[in-house]
Amino acid sequence: MTTRTPLMAGNWKMNLNHLEAIAHVQKLAFALADKDYEAVEVAVLPPFTDLRSVQTLVDGDKLKIKYGAQDISAHDGGAYTGEISGPMLAKLKCTYVAVGHSERRQYHAETDEVVNAKVKAAFKHGITPILCVGEELEVREAGNHVSHTLAQVEGGLKDVPAEQAESVVIAYEPVWAIGTGKVCGAEDAQEVCAAVRGKLAELYSQELADKVRIQYGGSVKSGNVAEIMAQADIDGALVGGASLDADEFVKIIRFRDQ
Ligand SMILES: O=C[C@H](O)COP(=O)(O)O
């Protein structure tokens, strides 16, 4: 049986400047013990402007916290004002990058084609994409949440070879549960995450599907994380608002104590 190490990732979104980032990561590092890192992989996804500071802190203090970016350009370089490339993120030793977050899809019109190009850019530069998928409220109300989410998985992984896909992280984030305080019921989240694993088995193989970590994201807090993590196909959480409070994020990382 495959054992998947849970991944607890804090997506800071557009919060915390580079000085606040240093203080925040120091607080996390001080609170976390070796046994936490043995049980769970911990990552933070700060804004681009914080990454160099976080890298310096993690390297200098030999911290076990991983870090990554919230977006990546599909292009390696050139006249793309405002974008940040895979080579730049690789140089900063980013382990992860979120791709296709619903806020990128919604506010920056990212299509599955764009998301797919970004997934490929991440793999090309040795960065693990956290491919974000999930339905809007009207899609769930119409009962199409599973097919909608699976189409995003398929679109995001189009032509991605198995050698790369086996290390992808998928984050299932129902859009209506993000930042709203409305957490998706654990069994409802499990329904979609199980279907995502089934889709990976169909696209690749059951063996590959069993290796891939599938996170849930959307109003995760210390009070609801244990129930979510108890689900068979949920292997971590992509945490937004609650990851900005170091004490709360540590409690989420220690979900087994809740
Ligand atoms: O990337 C994180 C998700 O968008 C969830 O955000 P939230 O925990 O603030 O609901």
Side-chain angles (χ1 to χ4, degrees):
M1 181 179 154
T2 313
T3 48
R4 299 180 291 265
T5 304
L7 172 61
M8 292 301 182
N11 174 12
W12 298 357
K13 307 194 179 184
M14 198 171 68
N15 295 289
L16 306 183
N17 63 39
H18 72 287
L19 298 176
E20 293 164 336
I22 293 169
H24 190 70
V25 173
Q26 281 174 326
K27 200 168 172 189
L28 286 177
F30 186 74
L32 293 171
D34 281 348
K35 66 174 175 42
D36 295 312
Y37 298 109
E38 282 157 20
V40 172
E41 192 178 348
V42 180
V44 292
L45 307 180
F48 289 131
T49 51
D50 299 359
L51 285 172
R52 176 64 175 151
S53 302
V54 171
Q55 179 199 20
T56 303
L57 176 62
V58 167
D59 280 358
D61 290 359
K62 298 189 170 36
L63 304 182
K64 292 178 181 166
I65 294 174
K66 309 260 178 72
Y67 58 89
Q70 299 172 16
D71 186 30
I72 182 172
S73 176
H75 308 284
D76 282 356
Y80 299 101
T81 302
E83 296 207 26
I84 301 293
S85 72
M88 292 170 180
L89 298 179
K91 195 79 179 163
L92 289 163
K93 296 190 191 155
C94 286
T95 300
Y96 293 106
V97 62
V99 175
H101 190 281
S102 63
E103 288 148 19
R104 301 289 316 171
R105 293 178 191 260
Q106 184 179 352
Y107 305 133
H108 300 272
E110 290 194 7
T111 60
D112 284 335
E113 289 71 30
V114 170
V115 171
N116 178 238
K118 291 184 173 193
V119 165
K120 289 174 180 163
F123 278 126
K124 181 178 175 188
H125 297 288
I127 303 165
T128 299
I130 300 177
L131 169 59
C132 303
V133 295
E135 81 284 355
E136 296 80 11
L137 184 58
E138 55 276 20
V139 176
R140 177 160 280 260
E141 284 175 346
N144 297 328
H145 48 289
V146 173
S147 58
H148 175 94
T149 302
L150 297 188
Q152 289 181 329
V153 170
E154 192 161 3
L157 291 176
K158 188 167 185 287
D159 299 327
V160 173
E163 311 83 78
Q164 294 181 334
E166 68 175 13
S167 62
V168 74
V169 177
I170 309 264
Y172 168 58
E173 301 202 308
V175 178
W176 49 271
I178 295 176
T180 57
K182 286 184 199 162
V183 70
C184 180
E187 285 171 15
D188 290 336
Q190 163 62 18
E191 177 202 18
V192 183
C193 293
V196 168
R197 201 174 302 288
K199 172 56 77 174
L200 293 170
E202 181 193 315
L203 293 174
Y204 298 98
S205 67
Q206 188 63 51
E207 190 190 0
L208 182 146
D210 286 341
K211 282 187 197 167
V212 170
R213 290 179 295 182
I214 302 174
Q215 298 177 303
Y216 167 78
S219 297
V220 172
K221 296 185 174 48
S222 58
N224 58 30
V225 66
E227 194 188 357
I228 291 164
M229 289 302 295
Q231 305 303 311
D233 288 290
I234 301 182
D235 311 308
L238 186 55
V239 186
S243 74
L244 298 173
D245 176 336
D247 295 332
E248 177 68 2
F249 191 46
V250 169
K251 282 189 203 161
I252 290 169
I253 291 163
R254 293 185 180 143
F255 65 91
R256 292 185 176 90
D257 299 345
Q258 305 305 317

